[in-house]
Amino acid sequence: MSKHILILPGDGIGPEIVDEAVKVLSAVQQKYSLDITTDSALVGGAAYDAEGDPLPESTLEKARAADAILFGSIGGPKWDAIARDKRPERGLLRLRSSLNLFANLRPAILFPQLADASSLKPEVVSGLDILIVRELTGGIYFGQPRGIREENGERVGFNTDVYSESEIRRIGKVAFELARVRGKRLCSIDKANVLEVTELWKEVISDMAKDYSDVEVSHMYVDNAAMQLVRAPKQFDVLVTGNLFGDILSDEAAMLTGSIGMLPSASLDEHRKGLYEPCHGSAPDIAGQGIANPLATIMSLAMLMRYSLDRGDVAGAIEKAVEQVLEQGLRTADIYTEGCEKVGTAAMGDAVVAAITSAAHA
Ligand code: IPM
Ligand code: MG
């Protein structure tokens, strides 16, 4: 059956890195005779510039109709001063929420070839393979009331951190099931010593643990988790947490792998429809220079193959090709270390395509 992928390049380095992932998509489409159709649309600042809305109705319609979405990145200083609800980030947040993409999977895997690119000692990170499961459509990102109001002659900003039991169970189930097919360890991150919303989070996850006796469950306060991630990250297998803690911890985990330019992500709904995007932002400082690392986006495409298209074999082939180009010594600037060959965005993408094309069928 034909599958439909919507491509949303976005802003900043988004279009450059997505171009490389699209090259890889064409390569696997040909090699594996995949029946895939694609379309593209505007999102973020690019959509605001063209249509006055970071998520135009036409883009949302296309997103609803797709089986999966490949997303670049959004935002930039150009749009910092516009009305809050028109900012590029709001487009992405509305997309996540409108499509019910509540389960955000952010794997942090260290390729052995990049052990020296990490800011941590190689022995601390070598062999690292952790998965952060971040709740993506609730918590303080979406809680009401929110805003900035006048109070006693000054401005007061406020947000609401809120999770219902069903929301916690829904993301908990995803995390437990993923832990089950990985290292069978799940660490739930909270701040239950201070915040009631995470006290409930901890209680619900503890209760669910009874149904997953094969998974070893632990709980950790978020401040300690932030420390443990840089002290001894390999103690973790799967981490599950709310929207805000997950945002922060996943950036931290990214750095363990050498560069945030290496971290892919999947945001899934209950039926495995997904939006796939690199964890990094739009990097306006290097946009248009052809030096951005396309590997996180290419590996996001691999996740798309695995989760939304049920093609774990194709996903594996893409990941293997990435490992191969790293093995060849090719590096974009963000992961460059001495003795390697520094390449730009397009050359990196081309090398991955060449590795896929020349590999034996998976
Ligand atoms: C991420 C990003 C987004 C988030 C921004 C761009 C809204 O930081 O995907 O981690 O905070 O979720
Ligand atoms: Mg983030």
Side-chain angles (χ1 to χ4, degrees):
M1 208 176 72
S2 176
K3 295 284 184 185
H4 187 62
I5 300 179
L6 178 66
I7 317 269
L8 298 177
D11 310 319
I13 58 171
E16 300 164 50
I17 53 179
V18 163
D19 272 355
E20 300 314 310
V22 169
K23 280 186 198 166
V24 172
L25 175 59
S26 307
V28 291
Q29 219 173 326
Q30 225 169 44
K31 179 156 183 164
Y32 295 88
S33 312
L34 304 177
D35 187 4
I36 292 174
T37 54
T38 62
D39 192 3
S40 66
L42 295 176
V43 73
Y48 173 80
D49 287 348
E51 307 191 23
D53 184 346
L55 182 64
E57 197 49 44
S58 55
T59 299
L60 184 56
E61 279 305 302
K62 285 184 179 186
R64 284 193 204 283
D67 295 296
I69 300 158
L70 185 66
F71 191 96
S73 55
I74 40 119
K78 184 177 171 196
W79 302 284
D80 277 351
I82 64 179
R84 210 175 303 135
D85 66 324
K86 298 286 185 207
R87 290 198 195 137
E89 291 75 10
R90 289 297 172 97
L92 174 58
L93 295 174
R94 255 166 55 207
L95 192 56
R96 288 173 177 170
S97 141
S98 308
L99 299 182
N100 225 355
L101 306 171
F102 69 95
N104 186 212
L105 316 185
R106 299 192 157 182
I109 294 167
L110 182 82
F111 287 94
Q113 296 85 356
L114 295 184
D116 291 327
S118 173
S119 49
L120 297 190
K121 295 192 198 95
E123 63 268 28
V124 175
V125 288
S126 70
L128 180 83
D129 179 359
I130 63 182
L131 175 65
I132 297 184
V133 178
R134 167 190 179 196
E135 201 292 326
L136 202 61
T137 52
I140 198 164
Y141 269 54
F142 294 94
Q144 295 288 348
R146 62 190 295 162
I148 300 174
R149 63 170 177 242
E150 285 287 327
E151 214 175 283
N152 300 327
E154 64 172 347
R155 284 178 306 156
V156 176
F158 55 99
N159 289 89
T160 305
D161 199 359
V162 53
Y163 273 115
S164 64
E165 184 167 350
S166 59
E167 282 179 300
I168 303 168
R169 284 192 187 274
R170 186 171 68 160
I171 191 71
K173 181 166 185 271
V174 171
F176 272 106
E177 279 169 9
L178 285 165
R180 197 168 242 180
V181 296
R182 289 179 41 107
K184 297 189 168 30
R185 284 178 302 120
L186 177 65
C187 183
S188 171
I189 311 297
D190 61 65
K191 187 73 186 173
N193 51 342
V194 179
L195 304 174
E196 285 82 353
V197 56
T198 67
E199 195 182 318
L200 178 69
W201 179 284
K202 185 175 180 178
E203 253 177 61
V204 172
I205 299 287
S206 301
D207 184 54
M208 291 184 79
K210 294 179 205 142
D211 299 330
Y212 296 89
S213 51
D214 51 330
V215 176
E216 186 191 313
V217 180
S218 59
H219 302 269
M220 201 180 273
Y221 295 144
V222 64
D223 48 350
N224 185 26
M227 178 175 73
Q228 295 300 334
L229 268 176
V230 286
R231 193 188 71 88
K234 282 186 273 178
Q235 69 186 280
F236 297 111
D237 175 23
V238 179
L239 294 97
V240 64
T241 191
N243 210 337
L244 180 61
F245 295 166
D247 179 45
I248 299 167
L249 293 180
S250 60
D251 266 29
E252 189 186 3
M255 261 334 279
L256 306 174
T257 69
S259 165
I260 195 166
M262 296 299 298
L263 214 68
S265 81
S267 308
L268 307 177
D269 74 0
E270 246 139 344
H271 313 287
R272 285 207 180 185
K273 168 174 178 149
L275 181 146
Y276 298 83
E277 58 175 322
C279 286
H280 59 72
S282 57
D285 54 322
I286 59 163
Q289 296 176 32
I291 59 170
N293 185 348
L295 294 179
T297 314
I298 290 171
M299 287 189 293
S300 298
L301 175 67
M303 291 186 88
L304 182 158
M305 291 290 159
R306 177 172 293 121
Y307 292 110
S308 288
L309 269 52
D310 247 324
R311 291 300 300 253
D313 57 330
V314 179
I318 296 172
E319 286 157 353
K320 212 161 132 204
V322 167
E323 178 150 11
Q324 195 179 323
V325 300
L326 294 174
E327 186 60 36
Q328 288 161 11
L330 303 187
R331 301 283 188 275
T332 42
D334 57 311
I335 49 174
Y336 177 77
T337 46
E338 222 179 276
C340 292
E341 184 188 339
K342 199 182 277 185
V343 296
T345 312
M348 189 57 114
D350 290 342
V352 175
V353 166
I356 287 169
T357 314
S358 65
H361 246 274

